[in-house]
Amino acid sequence: MNGHAEADYGPRRAAYDLKKLRGKGLVRKIGTSRRYAAEPDGLRAMTALVVLREKVIKPLLAASQQSEESHAKPNHPTPVDQHYEHLRVGMRDLFTALGVAA
């Protein structure tokens, strides 16, 4: 998921990730086995993070790369379209202030 080759993900990295997930209460160890189970609240949190990344953050980052002139606006914007536009403009301003995007 982080863009690295699957071969680079070894047992040491998996142990580190499991330790972090356990520390945040997202997963728990099952008895004395080497197996883990997701906590219900942890599963909701992990799902929310993936949805935010895929459906909100990635499109906003892609839109921030487009120039203002090339960004097409809908003829009849819905409230969701208006919220998205405010987010896009806000993200562009944030990236500019951080020096991340021109």
Side-chain angles (χ1 to χ4, degrees):
M1 286 177 37
N2 62 5
H4 296 286
E6 199 171 308
D8 294 339
Y9 192 81
R12 188 174 183 158
R13 181 65 193 198
Y16 175 82
D17 289 344
L18 281 170
K19 189 173 184 178
K20 287 294 208 178
L21 291 170
R22 285 180 71 189
K24 294 179 185 300
L26 301 176
V27 298
R28 64 176 166 75
K29 194 169 185 177
I30 300 174
T32 58
S33 72
R34 294 182 179 184
R35 298 177 65 192
Y36 292 84
E39 294 287 346
D41 287 342
L43 192 56
R44 279 190 287 277
M46 288 184 277
T47 303
L49 289 171
V50 170
V51 169
L52 276 172
R53 183 185 69 198
E54 296 298 321
K55 301 292 183 181
V56 177
I57 296 171
K58 281 186 178 180
L60 283 172
L61 288 172
S64 71
Q65 298 299 315
Q66 298 174 354
S67 67
E68 196 64 33
E69 298 82 32
S70 68
H71 185 71
K73 295 184 179 168
N75 292 334
H76 304 288
T78 66
V80 172
D81 293 328
Q82 292 169 349
H83 287 300
Y84 179 79
E85 182 62 20
H86 288 298
L87 275 172
R88 191 186 67 74
V89 170
M91 290 298 288
R92 187 194 66 223
D93 294 343
L94 175 63
F95 292 151
T96 301
L98 293 172
V100 176

